[in-house]
Amino acid sequence: LEALVRWNHPVRGMIPPGDFLPVLENNGLISKLDLYLWEEVCRRMRSWIDRGHRAVPISVNVSRMDIYAMDVADVFRKLVETYSLDPRLLEVEITESAYTENPKQIIDTVTLLREQGFVIEMDDFGSGYSSLNMLNDMPIDILKLDIKFIHNEMAKPKSQGILQFIINLARWMDLGVVAEGVETKEQLLRLSELGCDFVQGYYFARP
């Protein structure tokens, strides 16, 4: 599962995150929303477990603004302690663009989170400047392939794309691989043939 946010406006209806998240980022308010979202995920997970449901890991997003605004590792530690959760149930997604802006601060934060037992995902890989140095430096567990990257690769013949190389590289580095944006059975089958571990997208469920 992945925790996503939408704004259900009383007049304009459902507003996509691409419309309102940049406003919150520019005004320095994105961290307040993220804090609410992280706690809501923990609260609901605790509720589901207490009602006898099997615990399923949930991915939550951490923006680059959060890294600057707060001690993210400490916030997550306190959340799992408050709600008596296994840290492995929270998968922390950090976008690859955050690394390119302040690599040391991101690496230090991610290292602390992993030491505390959280699973780290590099989100949106393939959307920007995806370097091998970044993959080598960042202590991550899962590589999450960007939706546009997946769609571009699906449009190419198998012999001409680099998707197989990326998946093989992740295997060699002992990383899991998640593909975003799967919309058709054909895409699902091809990703399965290439050895992708997990997929998400409209083919299974809309947000």
Side-chain angles (χ1 to χ4, degrees), residues 51-183:
R51 298 201 320 255
H53 296 297
R54 180 172 63 90
V56 176
I58 300 178
S59 298
V60 295
N61 289 277
V62 173
S63 80
R64 64 186 186 280
M65 303 293 186
D66 298 330
I67 303 292
Y68 307 140
M70 68 183 91
D71 185 340
V72 172
D74 190 56
V75 169
F76 274 87
R77 178 186 61 79
K78 288 177 179 175
L79 280 172
V80 295
E81 286 178 357
T82 298
Y83 291 93
S84 300
L85 296 171
D86 185 335
R88 290 174 297 180
L89 291 174
L90 274 183
E91 298 186 346
V92 182
E93 293 191 12
I94 299 180
T95 181
E96 67 157 347
S97 62
Y99 171 87
T100 60
E101 293 182 10
N102 193 337
K104 185 181 185 308
Q105 192 168 4
I106 299 296
I107 289 170
D108 289 347
T109 299
V110 167
T111 299
L112 277 173
L113 285 164
R114 284 191 89 211
E115 288 173 355
Q116 292 170 189
F118 295 97
V119 175
I120 307 298
E121 298 182 351
M122 180 179 287
D123 196 19
D124 297 334
F125 187 79
S127 64
Y129 182 67
S130 304
S131 75
L132 296 181
N133 272 341
M134 176 173 57
L135 269 186
N136 196 41
D137 292 343
M138 279 278 278
I140 62 173
D141 303 289
I142 295 172
L143 197 62
K144 198 162 189 182
L145 305 179
D146 180 68
I147 183 171
K148 291 178 182 175
F149 176 71
I150 293 296
H151 288 183
N152 288 339
E153 285 294 301
M154 292 297 110
K156 299 175 184 176
K158 291 181 183 179
S159 59
Q160 295 179 13
I162 63 168
L163 186 55
Q164 183 70 75
F165 168 76
I166 296 294
I167 292 174
N168 290 346
L169 179 63
R171 282 280 170 281
W172 182 74
M173 298 180 71
D174 199 26
L175 302 176
V177 181
V178 178
E180 295 182 298
V182 175
E183 298 176 351

Side-chain angles (χ1 to χ4, degrees), residues 1-64:
L1 301 176
E2 179 179 1
L4 299 171
V5 64
R6 297 292 184 270
W7 182 3
N8 193 4
H9 192 278
V11 176
R12 296 174 59 187
M14 201 65 72
I15 302 176
D19 290 350
F20 67 86
L21 289 186
V23 178
L24 295 179
E25 288 177 348
N26 292 335
N27 290 322
L29 297 172
I30 189 67
S31 294
K32 287 189 176 182
L33 175 62
D34 286 341
L35 280 169
Y36 164 78
L37 187 69
W38 302 339
E39 180 147 26
E40 182 68 8
V41 166
C42 292
R43 187 188 66 78
R44 292 195 187 194
M45 199 183 301
R46 181 72 262 161
S47 172
W48 294 337
I49 292 171
D50 289 344
R51 298 201 320 255
H53 296 297
R54 180 172 63 90
V56 176
I58 300 178
S59 298
V60 295
N61 289 277
V62 173
S63 80
R64 64 186 186 280

